[in-house]
Amino acid sequence: MAGIGSSTYWEDLRKQARQLENELDLKLVSFSKLCTSYSSSRDGRRGDTSDTTPLLNNSTQDRMFDTMSVEIEQLLAKLTAVNDKMAEYTNAPGAAALNAALMHTLQRHRDILQDYTHEFHKTKGNFLAIREREDLLGSVRKDIETYKSGSGVNNRRTELFLKEHEHLRNSDRLMDDTISIAMATKENITFQRGMLKSIQSKVNTLANRFPAINNLIQRINLRKRRDSLILGAVIGVCTILLLLYAFH
């Protein structure tokens, strides 16, 4: 094998890195297709709630997922090791003259490794989230079907439970709508109150600024008070007369 300071050693490392990157690219494409087809197949079987539906953890797609995950992790580990060897080569004394070009090449391979690692973990996380969700939904559907397949009393109870659940949901929606209307009304009243205060403040400012207008407003207020007193007195006298006439 060529020594760590030779250009042949560097080219061998670059060749290994490119080969591993190509393999990883193909594996990640297949891995992504597997996860997509897994989700689609689960959606297609969602309506099938019979006991003959195979368990998710024992499906062929799960085994393929586990196998491909291990293979991709091994390729990532190999590519990481090659990148580490390339980093060691750039620090060798004989590579100092070409260090800038070597570092550029090394950084490019590191970026590719980082992108592949991120893509793998993202796809794997999505797959596991879908599988966990489908496991939960499958368990719930199986429990519901088992409960429904019981006696007529159980079926009746199930129907009543579902109706009550729907009624509660409708009540929640109605309550939310009522609260929204009340909040909107409160905001509108607050806004109108602010406008009235602003108008009153402007009127008071105008009255203070023009004494004639202020005197006119005071006269209007006095006349209103006088009219109110006269009207109250008339109503009181009429009421007394009606009472005297009624008890006469």
Side-chain angles (χ1 to χ4, degrees), residues 136-153:
L136 179 60
L137 292 177
S139 177
V140 172
R141 286 195 298 269
K142 185 177 180 180
D143 291 341
I144 292 175
E145 289 300 323
T146 302
Y147 188 77
K148 286 184 177 180
S149 62
S151 63
V153 176

Side-chain angles (χ1 to χ4, degrees), residues 82-175:
V82 173
N83 284 347
D84 292 340
K85 292 180 181 179
M86 294 174 71
E88 292 178 1
Y89 180 86
T90 58
N91 295 325
L98 302 175
N99 192 49
L102 297 180
M103 288 300 298
H104 176 74
T105 302
L106 175 60
Q107 185 60 42
R108 185 167 59 86
H109 286 291
R110 283 177 172 174
D111 292 339
I112 294 174
L113 173 60
Q114 184 178 1
D115 292 341
Y116 284 160
T117 303
H118 176 73
E119 182 179 354
F120 168 66
H121 288 301
K122 180 180 178 181
T123 306
K124 183 178 180 180
N126 291 337
F127 182 92
L128 293 176
I130 293 173
R131 185 167 67 180
E132 182 179 359
R133 182 189 64 188
E134 293 298 335
D135 283 342
L136 179 60
L137 292 177
S139 177
V140 172
R141 286 195 298 269
K142 185 177 180 180
D143 291 341
I144 292 175
E145 289 300 323
T146 302
Y147 188 77
K148 286 184 177 180
S149 62
S151 63
V153 176
N154 289 336
N155 290 335
R156 179 59 179 170
R157 289 177 179 175
T158 302
E159 293 178 0
L160 293 175
F161 173 77
L162 294 175
K163 290 181 179 179
E164 183 66 20
H165 179 67
E166 185 65 22
H167 176 71
L168 291 175
R169 290 182 59 185
N170 293 333
S171 299
D172 290 339
R173 285 195 294 267
L174 182 60
M175 185 177 296

Side-chain angles (χ1 to χ4, degrees), residues 16-32 68-80 83 109 112-120:
Q16 294 177 27
R18 287 194 296 267
Q19 182 179 357
L20 291 171
E21 288 168 358
N22 291 335
E23 293 181 12
L24 274 169
D25 186 64
L26 295 175
K27 286 288 185 182
L28 287 173
V29 171
S30 300
F31 191 65
S32 179
M68 293 187 68
S69 295
V70 173
E71 293 176 353
I72 293 174
E73 288 174 351
Q74 291 176 350
L75 290 173
L76 289 173
K78 291 180 181 179
L79 184 57
T80 301
N83 284 347
H109 286 291
I112 294 174
L113 173 60
Q114 184 178 1
D115 292 341
Y116 284 160
T117 303
H118 176 73
E119 182 179 354
F120 168 66

Side-chain angles (χ1 to χ4, degrees), residues 8-99:
T8 305
Y9 179 73
W10 173 257
E11 292 299 328
D12 289 340
L13 291 177
R14 288 193 61 189
K15 183 178 180 180
Q16 294 177 27
R18 287 194 296 267
Q19 182 179 357
L20 291 171
E21 288 168 358
N22 291 335
E23 293 181 12
L24 274 169
D25 186 64
L26 295 175
K27 286 288 185 182
L28 287 173
V29 171
S30 300
F31 191 65
S32 179
K33 290 181 179 179
L34 172 65
C35 296
T36 303
S37 63
Y38 176 89
S39 178
S40 300
S41 64
R42 290 300 301 174
D43 291 339
R45 293 199 303 266
R46 185 166 293 177
D48 184 8
T49 56
S50 63
D51 294 337
T52 59
T53 303
L55 293 177
L56 189 60
N57 292 330
N58 295 330
S59 67
T60 303
Q61 288 177 318
D62 285 315
R63 291 193 296 270
M64 291 178 62
F65 169 79
D66 295 335
T67 302
M68 293 187 68
S69 295
V70 173
E71 293 176 353
I72 293 174
E73 288 174 351
Q74 291 176 350
L75 290 173
L76 289 173
K78 291 180 181 179
L79 184 57
T80 301
V82 173
N83 284 347
D84 292 340
K85 292 180 181 179
M86 294 174 71
E88 292 178 1
Y89 180 86
T90 58
N91 295 325
L98 302 175
N99 192 49

Side-chain angles (χ1 to χ4, degrees), residues 176-243:
D176 292 338
D177 294 340
T178 304
I179 292 174
S180 300
I181 295 173
M183 294 297 295
T185 304
K186 179 183 177 182
E187 293 178 358
N188 190 16
I189 292 175
T190 302
F191 177 73
Q192 292 180 2
R193 181 183 299 173
M195 289 185 61
L196 291 176
K197 287 183 178 179
S198 178
I199 294 173
Q200 183 179 3
S201 177
K202 291 181 180 179
V203 171
N204 292 334
T205 302
L206 186 63
N208 294 330
R209 195 175 289 181
F210 300 98
I213 296 178
N214 190 14
N215 293 332
L216 179 61
I217 293 175
Q218 291 180 356
R219 290 178 181 177
I220 293 173
N221 291 332
L222 290 175
R223 180 169 295 180
K224 288 174 61 178
R225 292 178 182 175
R226 186 189 64 185
D227 293 342
S228 298
L229 291 174
I230 294 173
L231 181 62
V234 171
I235 294 174
V237 171
C238 292
T239 303
I240 294 173
L241 293 175
L242 289 173
L243 292 175

